[in-house]
Amino acid sequence: MNQWTREARYRPLSDVDPSVYQAMKEEVRTSPWRFSYHIQPPTGLLNDPNGFVYHDGLYHLFYQWFPLGPVHGLKYWYHMTSKDLVHWFDEGAALIPNDDPDSHGAYSGSGFIKDDQVHIMYTGNKRDADWNRHTSQIVGHLRSDGRIEKHLPPAIPTVPEGYTEHFRDPKVFQVASGMWYCIIGAQRSDLTGCTVIYQSQDAEHWTFLGELQTNYPTFGYMWECPDYFELDGKGVLLFSPQGIEPDGVNYQNIFQSGYFIGEPLALPNLEFTHESFQELDFGFDFYAPQTTEAADGRRILVGWMGLPDISYPSDIYNWAHALTLPRELSIEHGQLRQRPVRELTQLRKETLFDETILFEQDVTIAEAEIFELVLSDLKLTSDSFRFSVRQEATEQTVFHYDAVSRQFTIDRSRSGAEVPAESFGTSRSTVLTKDLHTLRLFVDRSSFELFLNDGEAVASGRIFPKGSSRGIEFSGEAAAHLSLYDLS
Ligand code: FRU
């Protein structure tokens, strides 16, 4: 994308005449592959979810946003609110990168509630005249006019000794004693990734405690977007490490996102006793997830349904990416489970199919473009089973299960005109720990999100089929209850 000179990438939205921005919005709104029920940018590029928090009857969810094109440039925070995690209200740009410490981007960060107000902490990204990066961590709060007021100067103005300027994405949390902590993604001076922890009495003045001690002292060159929370008696650290090599069916994407489950942290002690790293999502397009606690105590996760440094077919229409559906997390038998939030059943419009059926040979069961498909009580009478969606003569997205190896595979090689990140492969697999018994699949105009065995494994991916590719076809021999809901 050669027109994306440095100058073009760092052009602020305020430089653009409002009528030009309106025209961009209109062009994007009417372009192909726009989502029906996912959070997507009005123009330009969306990346990480930010500032996810619940307050006073409303969920606040922000995202990283470059308004002027499908590239990573000057980042704003765009603000959405919802009462139910299903229907989202567009609140517009809330955090504007127009101060010296964030002159080259208001990078990722988190939300927290203090003094009955939504607060945030984010990374100010600044480039100097020699294009050297300077990062700081800035606290702010959401005003009633919908804008974030920054508490400048930055709460953490520089990077501590021993780390590079790749030091970002503070996630703030409060412990029972009332003490505040924040965990930040970092790169050590020896170019390995880790996270560090700060402590504060008031969430404004922060003291550096040091590095969180894990069993993975060398695991990639940078850890982005850390998140720490406690769930079902365990401590969970989420992060997005960069620089991990593929290993069997694992780590197939350019960058990964995953977690450690361990003993709850006893901060300010920085030892973390934990199990091995697990990926959160075995699909193609998933990164930089963030969680929050819901009104009723559930832990809710949202990710970016995209990846850095990959181009997508919608780029030519001047927009890119979406957030995933919210997922509710739990730990069952020591394993993290992710289910679509229960509120999402509200999306179901018409029931297109709801029967127990026996699949034999190839059957086209229905046509749909934007739908939820649920298979339960699955019983295979042959070694394997497959189905495809968004199918027509030359297009299909294929889901395949091999009962002998318990391997589940998704193939997007024929999903549409262009396949993103083709050099990273066109299929993804996981090996289940139990026989496949249930499956839930959400398909939007240009995405799928698959939940296997009641949240044991999840996969997200972007696909770019024609609107007319609507077939749903099964093959193999199996019995199951199949429900299909139109979500358009
Ligand atoms: C992750 C990330 C973050 C950074 C943000 C900038 O995708 O690189 O580490 O804060 O995106 O947009």
Side-chain angles (χ1 to χ4, degrees):
M1 295 214 181
N2 302 332
Q3 89 264 33
W4 291 104
T5 57
R6 195 177 276 178
E7 203 191 343
R9 282 177 191 256
Y10 288 89
R11 188 169 177 208
L13 183 56
S14 57
D15 254 23
V16 174
D17 190 88
S19 67
V20 172
Y21 177 58
Q22 277 311 318
M24 283 178 62
K25 265 172 108 163
E26 194 50 24
E27 187 211 322
V28 167
R29 194 183 65 80
T30 53
S31 70
W33 299 311
R34 291 291 283 172
F35 289 85
S36 168
Y37 57 90
H38 282 81
I39 294 176
Q40 60 190 335
T43 60
L45 179 139
L46 163 158
N47 58 303
D48 316 353
N50 289 162
F52 192 17
V53 78
Y54 176 82
H55 180 56
D56 223 4
L58 272 190
Y59 292 93
H60 296 262
L61 178 55
F62 305 79
Y63 58 80
Q64 286 283 285
W65 183 48
F66 175 59
L68 297 178
V71 294
H72 292 270
L74 181 62
K75 295 287 172 69
Y76 293 62
W77 280 32
Y78 202 95
H79 185 201
M80 308 292 290
T81 53
S82 174
K83 290 190 170 135
D84 57 11
L85 296 165
V86 180
H87 304 96
W88 291 93
F89 185 75
D90 182 330
E91 306 273 3
L95 178 57
I96 315 296
N98 56 0
D99 283 289
D100 181 69
D102 63 13
S103 59
H104 291 71
Y107 276 12
S108 286
S110 55
F112 56 99
I113 306 303
K114 203 189 93 172
D115 305 332
D116 205 26
Q117 273 184 323
V118 172
H119 281 67
I120 67 159
M121 188 169 182
Y122 72 100
T123 299
N125 184 55
K126 175 186 166 163
R127 299 284 196 163
D128 65 19
D130 300 321
W131 209 247
N132 292 315
R133 191 191 294 275
H134 297 278
T135 47
S136 60
Q137 318 305 321
I138 303 169
V139 175
H141 72 274
L142 182 64
R143 291 193 313 231
S144 54
D145 68 358
R147 281 285 163 94
I148 300 273
E149 184 171 316
K150 304 168 194 174
H151 305 176
L152 293 172
I156 303 177
T158 54
V159 171
E161 187 70 35
Y163 302 92
T164 74
E165 293 292 331
H166 289 289
F167 192 84
R168 53 180 172 258
D169 314 333
K171 168 80 188 201
V172 176
F173 56 96
Q174 193 175 29
V175 301
S177 68
M179 189 67 85
W180 296 92
Y181 289 93
C182 88
I183 182 162
I184 298 182
Q187 180 179 62
R188 301 185 190 101
S189 302
D190 69 1
L191 309 188
T192 54
C194 65
T195 63
V196 301
I197 301 214
Y198 283 76
Q199 185 187 48
S200 174
Q201 306 267 9
D202 59 3
E204 297 281 348
H205 303 88
W206 293 89
T207 308
F208 180 63
L209 292 184
E211 229 175 78
L212 186 68
Q213 305 296 323
T214 71
N215 311 336
Y216 284 62
T218 52
F219 189 58
Y221 58 80
M222 170 68 191
W223 292 9
E224 295 190 314
C225 300
D227 192 344
Y228 174 78
F229 54 88
E230 284 166 18
L231 185 63
D232 302 325
K234 297 286 183 186
V236 182
L237 176 70
L238 302 185
F239 61 105
S240 295
Q242 300 189 318
I244 311 298
E245 294 300 319
D247 177 14
V249 295
N250 299 323
Y251 315 150
Q252 296 294 315
N253 296 332
I254 183 168
F255 301 128
Q256 319 336 120
S257 296
Y259 60 92
F260 296 140
I261 296 184
E263 295 311 313
L265 293 178
L267 292 165
N269 182 325
L270 298 174
E271 293 304 316
F272 186 34
T273 309
H274 62 86
E275 311 280 322
S276 62
F277 181 76
Q278 304 290 328
E279 281 184 274
L280 273 160
D281 189 297
F282 74 96
F284 301 91
D285 304 282
F286 182 84
Y287 197 64
Q290 188 175 86
T291 72
T292 197
E293 191 179 326
D296 57 6
R298 281 176 298 160
R299 181 57 53 176
I300 313 290
L301 176 144
V302 172
W304 168 24
M305 199 158 31
L307 283 164
D309 303 338
I310 302 285
S311 56
Y312 287 77
S314 68
D315 291 358
I316 56 169
Y317 300 104
N318 272 319
W319 71 281
H321 312 306
L323 298 182
T324 66
L325 293 173
R327 308 174 181 176
E328 45 185 269
L329 307 184
S330 58
I331 296 179
E332 294 167 32
H333 312 294
Q335 305 290 316
L336 189 74
R337 295 219 167 197
Q338 309 175 69
R339 298 179 173 89
V341 292
R342 54 198 76 167
E343 290 88 341
L344 286 167
T345 52
Q346 291 176 51
L347 287 173
R348 295 176 181 172
K349 301 264 161 52
E350 208 188 328
T351 302
L352 301 174
F353 203 97
D354 192 21
E355 280 172 45
T356 298
I357 51 170
L358 214 61
F359 309 116
E360 291 164 316
Q361 306 303 328
D362 296 353
V363 276
T364 300
I365 58 125
E367 298 225 309
E369 183 190 12
I370 297 168
F371 60 89
E372 179 191 348
L373 182 155
V374 185
L375 274 184
S376 46
D377 293 328
L378 184 66
K379 288 182 194 71
L380 262 70
T381 45
S382 59
D383 285 349
S384 72
F385 155 77
R386 64 178 241 158
F387 67 98
S388 54
V389 303
R390 302 305 304 269
Q391 168 159 329
E392 54 92 271
T394 59
E395 289 184 353
Q396 56 177 184
T397 299
V398 182
F399 300 86
H400 179 264
Y401 176 62
D402 183 315
V404 179
S405 59
R406 290 200 182 123
Q407 179 155 316
F408 196 100
T409 301
I410 306 163
D411 180 348
R412 70 169 178 184
S413 58
R414 307 210 310 149
S415 287
E418 287 169 70
V419 180
E422 212 166 353
S423 62
F424 289 86
T426 54
S427 69
R428 294 288 184 273
S429 297
T430 193
V431 178
L432 296 173
T433 60
K434 289 210 180 86
D435 291 343
L436 180 67
H437 54 86
T438 58
L439 171 162
R440 247 175 113 179
L441 175 70
F442 290 83
V443 173
D444 202 336
R445 207 162 270 118
S446 57
S447 67
F448 69 83
E449 283 150 284
L450 174 73
F451 298 81
L452 298 177
N453 280 355
D454 213 8
E456 177 188 334
V458 185
S460 309
R462 298 297 307 282
I463 51 174
F464 296 88
K466 296 191 282 246
S468 57
S469 299
R470 295 162 50 90
I472 301 176
E473 188 179 293
F474 284 80
S475 62
E477 285 166 31
H481 188 91
L482 170 67
S483 309
L484 183 69
Y485 305 97
D486 182 22
L487 307 185
S488 60

